[in-house]
Amino acid sequence: MWLSRKGDYGVRALIDLALHDGEGPVQRAGIADRQEIPESYLDHLMALLRRGGFVRSVRGPGGGHLLTRRPEEICLLHVIETLEGSVAPISCVEDGEDCTHDCGLCAQRPVWEEIYQDMRRRLGAVSIADLAERARAQQHARAAHYSI
Amino acid sequence: MWLSRKGDYGVRALIDLALHDGEGPVQRAGIADRQEIPESYLDHLMALLRRGGFVRSVRGPGGGHLLTRRPEEICLLHVIETLEGSVAPISCVEDGEDCTHDCGLCAQRPVWEEIYQDMRRRLGAVSIADLAERARAQQHARAAHYSI
DNA sequence: AGAATGTTGAGCAACTTACTCGACAATAGC
DNA sequence: GCTATTGTCGAGTAAGTTGCTCAACATTCT
């Protein structure tokens, strides 16, 4: 279980913003509440996301957070790398770097490299819009369930 | 970088045993030396591998460690799961379990599930024999390099 | 009996995670 | 200009994890 709270919560926050896209700034308390994220912890994640260029913020009355790009343009790979750092299983598979020093890991390297490329491909093929769509469908299913 | 020393070192130890398959018990000091693993730490990893059923040990003069199965029969997925525990990115993708409680992670779950299945497929397709072969080729390449 | 091997529990230092707290900054409205 | 309403951020904390080490012990062969 290596996806940390950081990664999970950060993506949830962006999904929440995507669900409210076009509605003006979304307050941090609202995000925290809906996504079940401790507010003070969320603050630090929002700082990462802001520095990563995914969100921008407005302080003061009527303030909150907004996406800087359309949800379709925000790829999950970049988000996860911003929040978690590299998802490479081992460091020597990053940037297809040619490692010049032999070590005991070399025999395993091709396996981890393929796994890393698979992950990048999968994460790169998903946008925050896709996830927001799924979250929306999930909400509708939940609502339908309660109204029967 | 989520493959820990445990995973890496444990696989190296098995590769070392595969390289010496058929030569009688391999001593812990030899494995530690060749694979650049601290001996006392290796002891704990060998305990995991023994409990996982991959190796058996002989104490006393002439003692050491041996594989319990042919290298071809030892699949990397099982080894890694023994050493690292599950490699699932998130717990709710394990055993294809149907999660009944909605949470903020659900929207992301299909992505992580595919990634997990990719990993299992890749790791399951590789045996310790494959890795030993690669390690052997690496050794030959190294020897050839020095003899020019 | 002694040397040569492996085994294991406990402990340690350093590091990481998942937060919290409180002070501060920016902004709108009156 | 003051107040309320928002966000920001550095420092700190508790708990947990990682990567080991140490020492005592157990087994086995000569």
Side-chain angles (χ1 to χ4, degrees), chain A residues 58-80:
Chain A
V58 182
R59 303 182 195 185
H65 299 281
L66 309 106
L67 294 175
T68 50
R69 283 175 271 149
R70 286 161 56 240
E72 292 79 9
E73 292 171 328
I74 304 177
C75 126
L76 188 55
L77 176 60
H78 297 150
V79 175
I80 291 292

Side-chain angles (χ1 to χ4, degrees), chain B residues 3 5 11 25 36 38 61 69 75 94 101 103 105 137 148:
Chain B
L3 183 75
R5 293 285 217 228
V11 172
E36 302 180 300
R69 283 174 270 150
C75 124
E94 292 178 301
H101 62 286
C103 69
L105 240 190
I148 285 169

